[in-house]
Amino acid sequence: MCPLQCTVDTRKASFPARCQRSVIERDMVYYSKAPIIEAVIDVQFSNALSLRELERLRDRFKKSYPSVQERLQVQVTLGADGRSSQSTSTDGFQLGDSNGSDLVLLLPQAAATIRLPPYGAWEKLLERARYNFDELTSIVGRRQVTRIATRFINRIDVPNALIIGAPLSKFFTITVAFPQGAVGNINGTSFTFSAQERATGFWANVNFSNAAPALLEHQSFLLDIDVYKRDGIDLNIDAMWNQVDELRVAKNNLFEAAITDEVRKLIA
Amino acid sequence: MTALAALAEVGLTSERLFAPNARSTFFRPSLGIDLTGRRNETAVKSSDAISASQPGSDAVAHVLRGGRSTVKRSVYQADSLAQRLFDARVELKMATARYAMHLSQEARDRLFAEFDYLLEEETWDPSDRLPSAYSYQSFLKWLIYTSDCSWSSLGISDDGTIMAAWVRGQNRLTADFGDKIRWSQAVLAEGEIQTSAGRFSLEHFAKRAKEFLASVVV
């Protein structure tokens, strides 16, 4: 069983006091077929890292993440007369472990810890993100954090047998619908909205779209939830990571609010 | 240098720009976070706009009209053969991961072990093409649709497509997961080996899977 999108009521008793949540949580929910295709914790900071600093970080992280890929920024300037010039510079590094499941993205103003499926547990992801941030700080010094975020991309695969002829609202609460008196097929849907999650007060960017079917005789939908905090990020590191931990509650609440029991049955 | 020539030089051909299903994993803003694009919007559009590869993208249209603009693109580099093979293994494992919710741990472990074996530097000919993630995805779709993990071995064709084989005694079924599935079958019947071959769509090959596999496993 993979814990997914879960909140942690039952865990509070044994959790360190500093990590206990003060926000409203739903009951813990576990899904054995976790639809998460990408889980990210991202920390952005104000002072950009230099190339030398990025390289030092790469060298440190590649012990744990041996798959190193350099991101090059290729800039092509095109003039009205058709002439062009181009320049190339290193924009950062993406490092991955040997299974390609755990990644670190190092950019001049951000460090992201990424987990691909199978998603294990939030606590593990949080622990890795914190460890990575501590490593970063130990090498390049403390940066002023300007944004903390967690982004979960879920792909929900719905069998054709269930969805053909059914309204999307049977599966999702955020959806598109035909005007009254019209029927048809929804061939391509993608929309993004920003919203404040009521229980926690955190803001989120949410994208809902249908994607190329990942499976035969299925339709695939992406529910991409990016919960973030810009203002009031605690300067105390422990407190800041508590804030990151709390972002998860908003993410879980939004996910649960966006799906219906039909989807829950599919991923249970 | 013309606008299109300049784009081509950095690998952005018009086909690529307008390919609706560009499969360049690392361009996808959803891998990790699209931080690069959002923060580096110094010019007309970010790398995200280009990587989106959508016809009608403002940045693309602007570039192709020849207006003064700047295109930014993030690319990744790999150098040695060992590194390229390692990256190929990782890419296949990442592709597997995207189906993890539909595959058992045992099934994933078996696939991982097979690719670790196939993509060893000692046995890999540097002139061979690395495996196609797209082809591998087709194989995974087939695997999940049929719920059949009884394959005997996997291989990589000269074109980089994934091949699977089911072998039981003298019976054999092979399938090459290209744009179409090229299959061949050899079964012992009527006292001799009967052979057949064909070229099916993935969907059709999946629907006929039980029939094919039953003939091999008899």
Side-chain angles (χ1 to χ4, degrees), chain A residues 45-50 53 108-109 142-144 146:
Chain A
F45 28 83
S46 55
N47 299 332
L49 299 167
S50 67
E53 286 173 322
Q109 284 185 282
R142 180 78 185 272
R143 295 306 211 246
Q144 184 189 346
T146 56

Side-chain angles (χ1 to χ4, degrees), chain B:
Chain B
M1 186 184 290
T2 65
L4 281 176
L7 289 170
E9 191 162 285
V10 294
L12 285 172
T13 61
S14 56
E15 289 84 359
R16 180 158 191 158
L17 285 169
F18 289 108
N21 296 314
R23 288 185 288 106
S24 181
T25 308
F26 295 118
F27 281 111
R28 285 190 318 98
S30 61
L31 186 70
I33 310 172
D34 49 350
L35 304 167
T36 312
R38 286 182 186 167
R39 277 184 305 97
N40 290 314
E41 287 185 13
T42 54
V44 174
K45 281 284 182 179
S46 68
S47 54
D48 283 351
I50 297 302
S51 66
S53 299
Q54 295 296 329
S57 145
D58 288 347
V60 174
H62 189 70
V63 167
L64 295 180
R65 277 198 305 269
R68 180 169 180 77
S69 63
T70 303
V71 175
K72 282 190 168 185
R73 177 190 176 201
S74 291
V75 294
Y76 288 86
Q77 295 191 126
D79 29 39
S80 67
L81 173 65
Q83 185 66 46
R84 285 194 292 124
L85 290 172
F86 180 81
D87 289 346
R89 285 196 297 270
V90 170
E91 187 177 3
L92 293 175
K93 289 174 181 178
M94 287 169 76
T96 310
R98 295 197 163 266
Y99 291 89
M101 64 289 280
H102 301 294
L103 292 166
S104 68
Q105 180 72 50
E106 187 185 6
R108 294 198 304 271
D109 287 347
R110 190 160 174 238
L111 290 166
F112 285 10
E114 192 76 351
F115 286 118
D116 285 341
Y117 165 74
L118 285 171
L119 295 167
E120 273 188 351
E121 189 182 2
E122 290 73 25
T123 53
W124 187 264
D125 183 336
S127 63
D128 286 347
R129 288 183 67 171
L130 290 169
S132 150
Y134 180 75
S135 167
Y136 180 55
Q137 271 185 10
S138 295
F139 173 64
L140 289 177
K141 287 179 183 179
W142 184 92
L143 211 61
I144 293 164
Y145 182 89
T146 59
S147 304
D148 186 288
C149 289
S150 66
W151 52 271
S152 307
S153 62
L154 299 181
I156 300 161
S157 76
D158 289 346
D159 293 330
T161 51
I162 301 298
M163 299 188 298
W166 293 260
V167 181
R168 304 286 186 277
Q170 288 182 285
N171 295 344
R172 163 175 60 82
L173 170 68
T174 62
D176 183 346
F177 288 80
D179 288 337
K180 295 280 185 181
I181 313 303
R182 285 181 300 171
W183 58 268
S184 67
Q185 190 181 35
V187 294
L188 184 62
E190 316 288 344
E192 58 183 321
I193 297 292
Q194 314 286 341
T195 59
S196 57
R199 195 175 151 91
F200 285 171
S201 69
L202 176 62
E203 290 75 10
H204 191 62
F205 189 65
K207 285 175 184 166
R208 299 276 304 270
K210 278 188 184 165
E211 180 188 330
F212 274 112
L213 293 171
S215 68
V216 173
V217 177
V218 287

Side-chain angles (χ1 to χ4, degrees), chain A residues 51-78:
Chain A
L51 176 58
R52 178 70 194 121
E53 286 173 322
L54 283 168
E55 287 171 343
R56 286 170 60 203
L57 289 171
R58 173 201 61 194
D59 294 342
R60 170 67 70 96
F61 279 104
K62 77 177 176 187
K63 291 169 193 160
S64 306
Y65 302 93
S67 175
V68 181
Q69 297 190 307
E70 183 177 2
R71 293 171 62 100
L72 291 180
Q73 200 65 267
V74 181
Q75 184 163 323
V76 182
T77 304
L78 307 172

Side-chain angles (χ1 to χ4, degrees), chain A residues 17 30 34 54 120 125 127 143 169 173 175 203 246 251 261:
Chain A
Y30 287 95
L54 283 168
L125 177 66
E127 188 184 331
R143 295 306 211 246
S169 57
T173 60
T175 185
W203 280 86
E246 288 176 353
K251 179 265 298 177
D261 285 344

Side-chain angles (χ1 to χ4, degrees), chain A residues 9 26 31 48 54-55 64 85 91 107 119 149 151 162 165 195-196 199 205 224 244 259:
Chain A
D9 278 351
R26 290 169 183 247
Y31 296 115
L54 283 168
E55 287 171 343
S64 306
S85 61
D91 180 53
L107 297 171
Y119 176 64
R151 178 176 178 181
L162 294 181
Q196 191 174 25
N205 294 321
D224 178 350
V244 173
I259 62 171

